[in-house]
Amino acid sequence: MEGGGLNLVEMFSQMGMAAWGVAIILFIMSFLSIGIAIERIYTYSKATGQSKLFAPQVAKHLKDGRLKEAIALSGSKDYKYSHLAKVVLAGLQEYQFQQDSGGASLNRDDVLDTVRRSIQRASALTTSDLKKGVSMLATIGSTAPFVGLLGTVVGVINAFVGIASTG
């Protein structure tokens, strides 16, 4: 641009070390934020889609009393992103284990309680899996404005130093 316009090449050539440091840090933060956001969107959409397909199929197996088929379906690679499949698999495996290993010594309420605890553990693990990267986004979101403000302060200081040196 002519006549007082912004020339990026000239601006970058006049940046000091502090300005370069701030610019690089902001670039890295932006890159990480975009990467995490894209990965989370992909993971959430896959998990939602697979869970919507999984639910009616596993319900059909369970309604017909086919526990082994429901467990096989839950552990299938077709549903590896499905949060629902992971939780259901944990509950069904615990129930199957209780049935196979002498669940007769436990009454029905105790078996259901162990299955419920297994489902709660799987839910907690799945929730933490789905929240992966979100804390990094929160950290970047809260610190990036201050890094930008630091860059502004450094720029203002450099401007006043330039004004002082030219009189």
Side-chain angles (χ1 to χ4, degrees), residues 12-149:
F12 281 120
S13 68
Q14 292 181 2
M15 285 173 55
M17 292 302 288
W20 273 107
V22 169
I24 289 170
I25 289 171
L26 286 173
F27 175 75
I28 291 170
M29 288 176 151
S30 299
F31 188 71
L32 283 172
S33 296
I34 292 168
I36 291 169
I38 290 170
E39 188 272 334
R40 290 288 87 195
I41 289 169
Y42 174 78
T43 301
Y44 290 155
S45 65
K46 292 288 271 186
T48 302
Q50 287 182 1
S51 292
K52 285 180 181 178
L53 293 173
F54 170 76
Q57 292 180 11
V58 78
K60 183 176 170 233
H61 286 306
L62 292 174
K63 209 177 274 185
D64 296 341
R66 298 183 306 217
L67 187 61
K68 290 197 185 309
E69 287 88 349
I71 291 173
L73 182 69
S74 299
S76 167
K77 290 187 181 198
D78 294 340
Y79 303 109
K80 72 178 183 177
Y81 287 103
S82 172
H83 50 282
L84 181 61
K86 291 174 187 175
V87 172
V88 169
L89 178 64
L92 291 176
Q93 283 178 332
E94 181 64 28
Y95 182 77
Q96 183 70 42
F97 175 76
Q98 292 298 327
Q99 295 299 315
D100 292 346
S101 69
S105 63
L106 297 174
N107 66 20
R108 178 179 160 89
D109 290 338
D110 291 339
V111 170
L112 290 178
D113 194 40
T114 59
V115 169
R116 188 175 299 115
R117 281 196 307 271
S118 175
I119 289 173
Q120 287 172 344
R121 280 191 304 272
S123 294
L125 288 172
T126 303
T127 300
S128 71
D129 219 20
L130 289 174
K131 288 182 178 179
K132 184 177 65 173
V134 174
S135 61
M136 175 77 83
L137 283 178
T139 301
I140 290 171
S142 63
T143 57
F146 296 108
V147 174
L149 182 60

